[in-house]
Amino acid sequence: MRLTALLLAAALSAVPVAAQTAPKVTTPKEALGFNLGDDYQVANYTQLEAYWKKLAGESDRMKLVDIGPTEEGRHQYMAIISAPENIKKLDHYKEISQKLAHAEGVTEEQAHALAGEGKAVVWIDGGLHASESVGAQQLMEMVYQMVSRTDPETMRLLNDVVQLYVQANPDGQELIANWYMRGSENPNAPLKDPQKRNMNGLPRLYAKYVGHDDNRDFYMSNMKETTNMNRQMFHEWFPQIMYNHHQTGPAGAVIFMPPFRDPFNYNFDPLVPLGIEMVGTAMHSRLVAEGKGGSAMRSGANYSTWWNGGLRTVTYFHNMIGILTEIIGNPTPMNIPLVPDKQLPQGDWPLPIAPQVWHYRQSIDYEICNNRAILDLASRYRETFLFDIWRMGMNSIEKGSKDYWTVTPKRIAALEAAATAEGGATGGRGGRGGRGGGMAAGGDAAAGGDLPAGMTPGGLGARTVSADLYDKVLHDPKLRDPRGYIIPSDQADFATATEFVNTLIKNGITVMKATSSFTVAGKSYPANSLVVKTAQAFRPHIMDMFEPQDHPNDFRYPGGPPIPPYDITGWTLAYQMGVQFDRIRDGFDGPFTKVNGLLPPPASTVMGPSSPAGYLISHQINNSFILVNRLLKANADVYWLKKPATADGQDLGTGSIWVPASAAARPVLDRGAKELGVAVHAVAKAPAGEALKLKPIHIGLYDQYGGSMPSGWTRWLFEQYEFPFEVVYPPALDAGNLKARFDVLVFPDGAIRRGNAGGRGFGGGGRGGFGAAPDTVPDEYKDRVGRISDEKTMPQLQKFVESGGTILTIGSSTSVAEVFGIPVKNYLTEKGPDGKDRPLPREKFFIPGSLLKVNVDNSNPLAYGMPAQLDVFFDSSPVMKLEPAAEMKHTSPVAWFSGPEPLDSGWAWGQQYLDGGTAVAEATVGEGKVMMLGPEVAFRGQPHATFKLLFNGLYYGSAKAATVQ
Ligand SMILES: [Zn+2]
């Protein structure tokens, strides 16, 4: 009796905890007028913002945080949700999460204690790719459920986990929701009938400049939203698990979720891929347990974990478990088709789903199930996840504090080559270069006991080699990983090196600055040099930004077609930005102090006599273009000198900038030197000689209805470097009279595509306005509808060039050359059986986004200020063959491939075919010029080392020959 009473009392005291906190909060229907997931309804960001503010006022489980402005000027919000007693101590739990993630100075014992006391931190975002509309809607529903539900599981999740809900692209949600719902309030609109609503024909990019590439910006952090989210992940909260929602699922399935296929990146801690397996499996299990079929993994799609740079993937290089899902779903009901292949249950799709009509709400329910699966695991394994992020951080610190060797595919190839040279092999191997390598050919398989016939004890196709090669080859002392990197402050463009370091700082990397000159490994470095040591928790990210990516050869089968990567294969940011640095392979120290916050450009001044003849400026500094743009705007004269110049003992490189003294120039130079890190050298006497005199230019930047991402990135870049420009659409080009409006027209990759154009192959979201019924295109976008055509556009472009205009083309748009009769052909061909040239097949040549070395003629104005050799970003880019007549036709190569191995980072199958091919050329046509830049010289705003080709190309065509005296 007494016992029963006690139990009853205990039960009563347990239940009311939930009941007491059963909160009355506004439902989505009360706030929006519809339930989230109702057919034909989508909430926009204005509604999300208002609703979250309301909930934050009503619930003590929620704190709303403004994490920074968006590119269009909205406030980007993050909803923090946890138990009310946790919400009161958020700073405390944040500090624990941060200490464990940084690991530095925390012992194993302390880590266990902190893990015991801390709360798991889980990040869940939505809406990054705005047109994948389920993401933002599930986020709103999830937040509502977490502040309103009182079931035991919800209470446990609130108690154990600090949950971060982030709208990843507010501007995009506003655009797409309003687009889908357009006409809903106007009885005369063509889309008044809800059943006619659709997402088709979005008029512009759903992220102001970059559209879908908003998920390609995370190590670079060019965009404001990226910077906001990086700050929350790598400076504030350090989530142990993050979940990044996407669409759309594979045909015949509902959703793709991890585990992922190989390759994973050798830089990250093995606990990362294992954590992904663990969390992914828990998600599939929960869906299946709830009878929710149609989830696929691994071979179910081509997603992998190789690449850094996405919202999800950047977290791997920070010891975090990043989850991506790709679900189907649309406010307009859709159908799941019957795909025979997806009906037989197997490891990668355990519970097939029947073909059926699919409603929006079903997708939201799947996503909520996934969110809860992650929170449940984070709750149950709270201490393990918290401890493991410390373990990974400490592993990194240890690797950076001693001799350590990263094993990459090239090192394995070296090991095998060494073994072959020694003749020490004890087994055969079924073919090189492919995955799925086949059974071992011969060897000691019989010794394998329980192994299936034909398999060696080492595994599928394994070959064993002499063990002493482990130390000799894999631990070659010359190839130890660096203990750190030094970026000397006396390099030609230190302002750009400083920008590089800022990308690291935004990503939570500790950077140090020398307070005085110092010597390391026998080399002396000036004060202000920058130092990045690798003994820190996020070492994988450091290694990834400084070292080449060595992507494995990845084929369907040996000799078969290559498997395209999920994104790109090589991106080493220090190379892309042309940063000069030294690798230091022994422990080192110096007068270093930690950099707090972002570094401004190194301040400079105007040096030299006070009443000079003029000023010399190095063309090597990218920021010098900002200065030139400001000078021309102020009506000052600007020249590029043909002969290399020196000033104050410094080599200023080719195309040095000469600014004659004037009242207009001086204040611009004073301010520029101070703000932009551009040294300005006043000189008593003008540097006599030949020059090009720049004129202020009118730039037309091509774009199209729907928006092109390469054009959007270029637009952003022009704004950063203060180029005056106008965006121009096909109808305006077709209208002609272009020379009266523009000096130079810029066509990024994807704008023009003729014949075997090469190039990246997806220019943007728009297809010239197709997809939107013409009568539903709002008036403000009507003048964008159309495409470049041979009949209407090309004759106008031809007139423009012949009368003195410049056409600057990148990637596939270089194929416009044929229209002007410029004698260039595709270099990457072979003789077919009919004796005619045909493009090299993918089995022979495949370079999907890598960094390749080119030689540069920097005496050509298009390449002024550039080094004689550098890396370009190459993504199936066009490579030109200049016909023998080229010189006669005033066509000059400006950059070209030389040698059998131009690959510096990534994967370049068949790279030897590039030898002798032209990457960049310029041609004179009539009175004008055509610039052909094959590689992606401005790709995603990253390759600062090649921005000059674009920037020079803008001015070069209209500059006039002049003499400085
Ligand atoms: Zn997506």
Side-chain angles (χ1 to χ4, degrees):
M1 205 55 182
R2 275 189 70 175
L3 187 63
T4 312
L6 261 179
L7 283 174
L8 193 64
L12 281 173
S13 71
V15 171
V17 174
Q20 277 159 16
T21 52
K24 175 68 195 105
V25 296
T26 306
T27 66
K29 182 145 193 173
E30 286 161 356
L32 308 167
F34 54 87
N35 295 304
L36 287 159
D38 278 355
D39 289 345
Y40 308 111
Q41 299 286 354
V42 188
N44 66 18
Y45 188 72
T46 301
Q47 290 170 305
L48 179 148
E49 184 175 340
Y51 185 44
W52 278 13
K53 281 180 176 164
K54 197 171 196 58
L55 290 182
E58 292 171 345
S59 173
D60 55 1
R61 298 176 183 178
M62 176 166 169
K63 184 182 175 191
L64 192 60
V65 183
D66 177 356
I67 63 172
T70 68
E71 288 291 348
E72 289 182 7
R74 293 185 177 82
H75 297 274
Q76 186 171 15
Y77 282 106
M78 172 171 81
I80 305 179
I81 292 184
S82 200
E85 46 289 12
N86 298 344
I87 292 285
K88 288 183 197 128
K89 292 170 68 181
L90 282 180
D91 285 347
H92 178 63
Y93 293 119
K94 189 194 273 190
E95 196 188 339
I96 290 176
S97 185
Q98 184 199 323
K99 274 187 180 163
L100 288 167
H102 280 158
E104 195 180 351
V106 178
T107 65
E108 184 162 352
E109 207 180 6
Q110 290 166 334
H112 278 298
L114 286 169
E117 191 191 340
K119 301 294 176 187
V121 180
V122 172
W123 165 293
I124 294 174
D125 61 60
L128 177 67
H129 287 157
S131 62
E132 303 163 3
S133 70
V134 175
Q137 310 295 304
Q138 64 80 24
L139 196 71
M140 294 173 75
E141 175 68 18
M142 184 70 189
V143 165
Y144 164 66
Q145 291 193 12
M146 291 311 296
V147 298
S148 62
R149 286 175 60 167
T150 55
D151 58 276
E153 185 186 58
T154 299
M155 302 313 284
R156 176 168 58 81
L157 304 182
L158 290 168
N159 184 58
D160 293 341
V161 186
V162 173
Q163 306 164 24
L164 311 174
Y165 295 94
V166 182
Q167 211 310 351
N169 176 9
D171 298 343
Q173 184 184 353
E174 192 71 9
L175 179 74
I176 73 101
N178 292 348
W179 182 251
Y180 181 82
M181 301 295 288
R182 71 197 189 281
S184 59
E185 278 157 31
N186 174 1
N188 298 317
L191 298 178
K192 193 189 137 244
D193 175 2
Q195 301 205 15
K196 288 195 174 146
R197 287 175 193 160
N198 63 77
M199 298 276 182
N200 297 341
L202 202 62
R204 61 181 177 86
L205 297 172
Y206 56 66
K208 184 177 177 188
Y209 299 100
V210 301
H212 208 71
D213 271 356
D214 65 352
N215 194 28
R216 315 279 183 258
D217 186 44
F218 280 81
Y219 59 72
M220 194 72 204
S221 213
N222 276 328
M223 294 294 121
K224 291 193 170 81
E225 295 86 344
T226 318
T227 302
N228 296 339
M229 292 188 276
N230 279 338
R231 190 187 308 111
Q232 292 305 319
M233 292 194 293
F234 309 134
H235 287 268
E236 296 279 332
W237 276 104
F238 307 91
Q240 295 85 48
I241 307 174
M242 67 84 70
Y243 178 12
N244 178 223
H245 286 258
H246 288 262
Q247 286 181 239
T248 188
V254 173
I255 186 166
F256 174 86
M257 319 202 290
F260 298 103
R261 74 176 178 99
D262 278 338
F264 73 70
N265 192 300
Y266 47 74
N267 276 321
F268 43 77
D269 195 287
L271 282 173
V272 166
L274 290 170
I276 295 169
E277 298 263 335
M278 182 180 179
V279 176
T281 304
M283 294 163 73
H284 284 278
S285 298
R286 185 168 177 129
L287 281 180
V288 170
E290 290 188 8
K292 294 182 165 74
S295 70
M297 65 192 101
R298 290 195 189 87
S299 65
N302 83 326
Y303 306 100
S304 77
T305 57
W306 170 257
W307 172 65
N308 193 345
L311 172 52
R312 159 187 64 105
T313 59
V314 73
T315 65
Y316 302 150
F317 299 81
H318 294 77
N319 307 329
M320 297 168 188
I321 297 166
I323 300 296
L324 155 119
T325 63
E326 298 273 348
I327 196 166
I328 61 169
N330 196 289
T332 302
M334 56 191 290
N335 286 299
I336 296 182
L338 177 59
V339 176
D341 192 39
K342 286 282 186 304
Q343 286 300 320
L344 180 67
Q346 54 170 283
D348 288 356
W349 42 91
L351 178 60
I353 191 163
Q356 59 188 278
V357 175
W358 189 259
H359 294 277
Y360 207 28
R361 179 69 201 194
Q362 291 174 280
S363 296
I364 291 183
D365 289 342
Y366 267 56
E367 299 284 50
I368 299 281
C369 176
N370 287 332
N371 292 338
R372 291 183 77 92
I374 292 177
L375 295 173
D376 177 38
L377 200 68
S379 155
R380 294 180 194 276
Y381 286 85
R382 180 183 58 83
E383 290 195 41
T384 306
F385 285 121
L386 283 165
F387 180 78
D388 280 357
I389 201 168
W390 173 86
R391 182 69 265 172
M392 290 186 263
M394 190 48 78
N395 287 345
S396 288
I397 292 171
E398 286 166 2
K399 286 173 186 173
S401 307
K402 63 180 186 195
D403 288 348
Y404 186 81
W405 290 261
T406 299
V407 175
T408 77
K410 280 202 175 77
R411 300 314 303 148
I412 297 300
L415 180 62
E416 297 198 340
T420 302
E422 269 193 2
T426 57
R429 192 179 150 99
R432 282 216 41 208
R435 298 194 314 149
M439 295 295 177
D444 300 327
D450 289 339
L451 289 169
M455 213 186 256
T456 63
L460 199 64
R463 164 201 193 184
T464 58
V465 303
S466 165
D468 62 356
L469 294 176
Y470 186 75
D471 283 337
K472 266 198 224 162
V473 179
L474 291 187
H475 288 181
D476 180 344
K478 291 193 299 293
L479 299 176
R480 284 171 295 156
D481 287 347
R483 303 283 188 94
Y485 301 89
I486 301 180
I487 301 169
S489 61
D490 56 358
Q491 59 190 282
D493 187 359
F494 190 55
T496 292
T498 302
E499 279 195 57
F500 165 69
V501 155
N502 282 338
T503 70
L504 300 179
I505 294 172
K506 286 180 181 176
N507 267 276
I509 302 301
T510 298
V511 175
M512 292 184 293
K513 183 175 171 173
T515 52
S516 59
S517 61
F518 63 100
T519 302
V520 166
K523 182 172 172 183
S524 55
Y525 296 90
N528 299 320
S529 294
L530 299 165
V531 176
V532 184
K533 290 193 176 184
T534 56
Q536 41 180 311
F538 303 149
R539 177 181 182 275
H541 190 74
I542 301 170
M543 299 293 291
D544 195 57
M545 294 294 101
F546 279 98
E547 297 296 333
Q549 281 76 39
D550 183 6
H551 189 281
N553 288 320
D554 195 8
F555 296 100
R556 299 257 172 242
Y557 49 87
I563 302 174
Y566 160 65
D567 192 71
I568 57 178
T569 62
W571 51 85
T572 313
L573 190 57
Y575 293 10
Q576 284 201 68
M577 295 181 75
V579 176
Q580 306 299 307
F581 65 88
D582 290 324
R583 294 179 174 86
I584 309 299
R585 297 189 195 274
D586 290 302
F588 67 103
D589 224 329
F592 308 147
T593 163
K594 190 189 164 193
V595 175
N596 291 308
L598 298 180
L599 280 170
S604 193
T605 54
V606 179
M607 295 166 274
S610 55
S611 335
Y615 309 88
L616 277 168
I617 299 161
S618 167
H619 203 125
Q620 297 163 308
I621 308 170
N622 279 354
N623 280 355
S624 70
F625 287 94
I626 301 179
L627 205 49
V628 166
N629 289 332
R630 290 180 185 173
L631 286 163
L632 291 171
K633 196 176 170 194
N635 294 316
D637 287 343
V638 179
Y639 297 82
W640 290 347
L641 302 177
K642 289 205 171 172
K643 273 196 194 142
T646 55
D648 298 318
Q650 238 178 295
D651 175 9
L652 301 183
T654 61
S656 302
I657 299 158
W658 169 246
V659 183
S662 72
R666 185 66 195 229
V668 176
L669 293 169
D670 279 329
R671 191 185 138 207
K674 196 166 151 225
E675 288 177 5
L676 303 172
V678 180
V680 177
H681 308 270
V683 295
K685 198 166 164 294
E690 284 182 71
L692 288 172
K693 184 169 190 224
L694 304 193
K695 84 179 214 32
I697 44 173
H698 296 97
I699 303 170
L701 170 62
Y702 171 84
D703 204 346
Q704 60 202 21
Y705 184 91
S708 136
M709 292 188 290
S711 175
W713 277 115
T714 311
R715 174 161 43 94
W716 176 81
L717 200 58
F718 285 173
E719 288 180 14
Q720 302 309 302
Y721 284 85
E722 302 181 19
F723 284 96
F725 70 97
E726 220 181 294
V727 178
V728 56
Y729 295 89
L733 295 175
D734 292 352
N737 201 21
L738 297 169
K739 190 67 189 71
R741 284 180 65 193
F742 302 108
D743 298 292
V744 52
L745 292 170
V746 179
F747 294 91
D749 182 44
I752 301 171
R753 180 172 295 283
R754 308 174 62 84
N756 177 50
R760 190 164 169 79
F762 36 89
R767 295 193 302 277
F770 300 105
D775 62 343
T776 71
V777 173
D779 287 343
E780 58 173 316
Y781 297 115
K782 282 204 160 76
D783 63 354
R784 302 184 180 188
V785 178
R787 335 172 72 147
I788 289 186
S789 68
D790 277 0
E791 306 74 46
K792 288 184 175 171
T793 323
M794 289 305 160
Q796 297 300 343
L797 296 185
Q798 206 147 2
K799 258 189 223 166
F800 172 71
V801 173
E802 279 165 5
S803 59
T806 296
I807 287 198
L808 193 155
T809 60
I810 301 174
S812 76
S813 295
T814 59
S815 61
V816 78
E818 68 178 60
V819 174
F820 299 107
I822 298 168
V824 298
K825 278 191 170 173
N826 181 9
Y827 189 72
L828 301 172
T829 59
E830 62 176 11
K831 286 267 181 274
D834 57 357
K836 286 187 183 150
D837 285 347
R838 64 178 184 191
L840 287 167
R842 278 190 156 197
E843 286 80 358
K844 291 187 175 169
F845 181 84
F846 185 64
I847 306 184
S850 297
L851 301 178
L852 305 180
K853 202 190 287 55
V854 293
N855 289 347
V856 178
D857 172 11
N858 60 18
S859 71
N860 185 302
L862 189 54
Y864 273 167
M866 298 179 77
Q869 200 173 58
L870 54 75
D871 285 316
V872 295
F873 186 81
F874 186 97
D875 196 346
S876 303
S877 302
V879 177
M880 295 170 273
K881 178 179 179 183
L882 268 55
E883 295 289 280
E887 223 171 305
M888 303 294 291
K889 291 258 198 175
H890 309 289
T891 302
S892 322
V894 179
W896 57 91
F897 299 99
S898 179
E901 290 187 348
L903 177 67
D904 274 337
S905 182
W907 183 27
W909 184 248
Q911 57 176 311
Q912 69 279 3
Y913 288 106
L914 291 166
D915 191 5
T918 298
V920 176
E922 53 117 335
T924 302
V925 175
E927 303 283 306
K929 277 200 176 291
V930 178
M931 315 283 177
M932 294 158 281
L933 317 181
E936 291 295 328
V937 298
F939 189 65
R940 300 173 179 167
Q942 295 177 14
H944 287 240
T946 54
F947 286 173
K948 288 189 193 80
L949 288 165
L950 170 61
F951 296 166
N952 284 334
L954 297 172
Y955 277 117
Y956 171 30
S958 58
K960 293 276 174 274
T963 307
V964 170
Q965 50 198 350

